[in-house]
Amino acid sequence: MVTPPTPTPLLSIVVPVYGVEAYLRQCLDSIHADIPADEATAVEVVAVDDASPDRCGDLLRGYATEHPGLRVLHLARNVGLGPARNAGLDVATGRYVWFVDSDDWLPAGTIPAVLGRLRVDRPDVMMVDHLRVHECGREEVDASSRLLRGTPGVVRLADRPQLLRVQHTAWNKVVRREFMAELGLRFHPGWYEDIPFSHPLLVGAERISVLDRVCYLYRQGRQGAITSTRSGRHFDSFEQYDRLFAWLRHRHPDGRWHAELFDLMVNHFLVVVGNDDRLHPHLRRDFFRRVAAHYRRYLPGGGYPRPSGVAGLKHRLVGRDSYLAYAALRRAHRLAGRLRGGTGGDPLTDGTGPAADGPARDRTLVSTHGNGSE
């Protein structure tokens, strides 16, 4: 007898698991229930137990017994989100890989839509839309989602540069596995591991497609999520941006995309430094100093389009390493917000607004010889 070859799955869904006992079954059920019976061989699911300290390991073993299509890796020690994704990637066999976080879930109809678009477009990267879902059940459209609209067929980043400003996460991208290897991309340890992964995918892709439908439900406010955890580990973001620009220098020594990524970096840092949920006040000054150092280190020689208005003022203050002026501006803005009866939140300093969307641009070019380097 000749054993027929096992067909290669079109899609591998890699689910890293750590400390999500309360949410894991919802995630796995949303994936399993969404795979059509006639597509069972087209999708494989790989769950990676990152030495989770709760009952996640037992839950995965039980779920795999009930659902033989689930492959489970149990890591001997905790390695963190990025390396756990790598472990799943190493055993994945699908032509495409989708990294789905285990505290999030998929809406019904997602997997058939993803499979269908992958077959039609054959992209290097396919981007999908998402909703933010709060613990109370409230759903919120991400501010950057509008940048996905109206993307025709298959494009390159040069055709739709605004795609670089869509939220830079791994889970909103379905990626051709061989393309990832061609770019030499892996996840690095530490927080903000998506930074040196997601941006290079778009920069290096010859074929980008957009599935303009909500394919991912992103849980907000979970205890332990890094966006709501005060920690010195937010300083990991500096090393992740070092890795991003090192990759960019190697792949594009002509400086292409440097100015765009520099602007995104500064905006991202301003979100973190101003967010009370991420940085304890006693760390804010040190973080700002590190932001100013990265500004000087990576400021493009040809300048960059500095934002207009208050956002542009903050960029100037970072360029001048003027923490006291920045802190005064932040306090004034928050006071004005409270007097108006609002929260006083600032979309470029506390993460409450469309930071991923990017501020409005003016024509001011900041260069190594201009005001921004003072």
Side-chain angles (χ1 to χ4, degrees), residues 17-328:
V17 177
Y18 182 84
V20 290
E21 179 180 340
Y23 310 111
L24 180 57
R25 180 166 282 274
Q26 180 184 21
C27 175
L28 295 177
D29 283 347
S30 74
I31 297 170
H32 176 75
D34 207 41
I35 302 174
D38 60 350
E39 295 277 29
T41 60
V43 182
E44 70 171 358
V45 183
V46 180
V48 182
D49 171 18
D50 188 16
S52 187
D54 54 10
R55 294 184 57 252
C56 282
D58 293 335
L59 288 174
L60 287 173
R61 278 184 280 270
Y63 203 94
T65 300
E66 301 167 11
H67 306 89
L70 175 67
R71 302 170 62 192
V72 180
L73 298 181
H74 296 280
L75 303 185
R77 62 180 182 85
N78 176 249
V79 296
L81 178 58
R85 285 173 174 166
N86 291 338
L89 177 61
D90 287 341
V91 302
T93 62
R95 287 165 50 201
Y96 288 87
V97 179
W98 190 8
F99 299 99
V100 172
D101 288 350
S102 50
D103 53 345
D104 302 327
W105 69 105
L106 309 182
T110 290
I111 292 178
V114 166
L115 294 176
R117 183 58 66 85
L118 290 177
R119 290 182 174 120
V120 170
D121 289 345
R122 296 176 290 107
D124 296 322
V125 181
M126 184 173 74
M127 305 181 71
V128 300
D129 200 1
H130 72 282
L131 288 176
R132 297 168 176 261
V133 184
H134 296 263
E135 288 295 296
C136 63
R138 179 173 64 89
E139 296 180 345
E140 178 185 2
V141 176
D142 189 84
S144 70
S145 290
R146 67 177 182 83
L147 302 176
L148 296 170
R149 307 289 178 259
T151 302
V154 177
V155 299
R156 299 179 64 188
L157 187 59
D159 305 319
R160 303 286 290 186
Q162 64 267 38
L163 294 178
L164 201 59
R165 295 186 173 274
V166 177
Q167 183 159 326
H168 57 259
T169 58
W171 45 254
N172 64 359
K173 299 172 183 69
V174 182
V175 188
R176 185 165 62 85
R177 192 161 55 92
E178 289 186 2
F179 168 66
M180 240 184 299
E182 291 165 6
L183 292 185
L185 292 181
R186 302 278 287 178
F187 290 98
H188 295 278
W191 286 10
Y192 298 98
E193 73 293 327
D194 289 344
I195 290 169
F197 179 82
S198 290
H199 291 312
L201 286 176
L202 298 179
V203 170
E206 293 292 328
R207 299 177 61 84
I208 301 172
S209 68
V210 172
L211 180 54
D212 188 8
R213 61 169 284 162
V214 173
C215 294
Y216 196 91
L217 299 173
Y218 176 33
R219 190 181 304 275
Q220 301 291 286
R222 178 179 71 84
Q223 186 176 4
I226 72 168
T227 52
S228 57
T229 302
R230 277 187 174 183
S231 171
R233 294 195 63 189
H234 291 286
F235 283 77
D236 289 356
S237 58
F238 296 106
E239 188 173 0
Q240 303 291 14
Y241 275 107
D242 287 338
R243 290 174 173 134
L244 170 62
F245 282 104
W247 181 91
L248 191 66
R249 280 194 306 271
H250 175 68
R251 290 279 175 163
H252 293 282
D254 59 355
R256 192 176 187 191
W257 301 111
H258 188 131
E260 291 85 351
L261 291 171
F262 175 84
D263 179 60
L264 287 172
M265 177 189 73
V266 177
N267 290 337
H268 188 192
F269 283 150
L270 285 169
V271 168
V272 177
V273 74
N275 193 319
D276 288 329
D277 290 336
R278 301 199 200 187
L279 283 181
H280 192 279
H282 79 269
L283 295 175
R284 186 164 288 121
R285 181 191 294 265
D286 288 343
F287 193 94
F288 187 92
R289 300 296 190 206
R290 292 285 300 276
V291 176
H294 265 56
Y295 187 105
R296 293 189 297 271
R297 179 178 304 163
Y298 294 115
L299 181 64
Y304 77 108
R306 188 164 53 198
S308 58
V310 174
L313 175 57
K314 289 166 188 167
H315 277 238
R316 291 185 180 92
L317 295 177
V318 168
R320 296 169 181 171
D321 197 5
S322 299
Y323 176 74
L324 292 179
Y326 162 79

Side-chain angles (χ1 to χ4, degrees), residues 341-353:
T343 62
D346 182 343
L348 280 176
T349 58
D350 64 9
T352 61

